[in-house]
Amino acid sequence: MAKYISETVAWVADPDRIAKTLCGSLSDCALSVEIDGPDQVLNFGDGRAIIKPNVCGLHLRVEAEDPLTFFGIRSLLQVSLSRATNDQSGRLEWHAASGELFDVLGRRARRTGGC
């Protein structure tokens, strides 16, 4: 299990298209890209990014063994996302997460009754 894990939601229109754009722009940086239905996993060796489109936008998750890889992957995602959506703010609110995929965001959705 990765030592550093965080998640966020990016509220975007057309999340499927944005997910494909993100994977396309990051595929040169990643060792591999795995597609599992709508979910896409970018493998960076000592870390990975999981992109999961849904009706609310994109769930993004970063897992890494060391802080340099962790923050590097997060930075790549943020820059690529801001380019793909023409949003120059590049701000995402990341949340610490457990080993369960999208654990933090799932709990929040159940509390608020939304995405």
Side-chain angles (χ1 to χ4, degrees), residues 9-70:
V9 173
W11 310 106
V12 297
D14 199 358
D16 291 320
R17 182 186 62 79
I18 298 296
K20 288 177 186 170
T21 301
L22 279 177
C23 284
S25 65
L26 295 173
S27 63
D28 289 341
C29 301
L31 297 176
S32 66
V33 178
E34 296 176 32
I35 298 172
D36 182 17
D39 301 350
Q40 301 182 31
V41 179
L42 294 103
N43 175 5
F44 293 93
D46 288 340
R48 68 183 187 157
I50 302 166
I51 301 170
K52 183 178 185 79
N54 67 28
V55 295
C56 299
L58 293 177
H59 282 178
L60 305 173
R61 181 178 171 103
V62 174
E63 302 174 350
E65 296 300 321
D66 63 87
L68 187 60
T69 302
F70 175 73

Side-chain angles (χ1 to χ4, degrees), residues 84-104:
T85 61
N86 294 321
D87 176 9
Q88 300 306 311
S89 70
R91 287 181 234 151
L92 292 173
E93 185 179 333
W94 291 91
H95 301 274
S98 70
E100 185 178 330
L101 190 59
F102 303 113
D103 181 53
V104 170

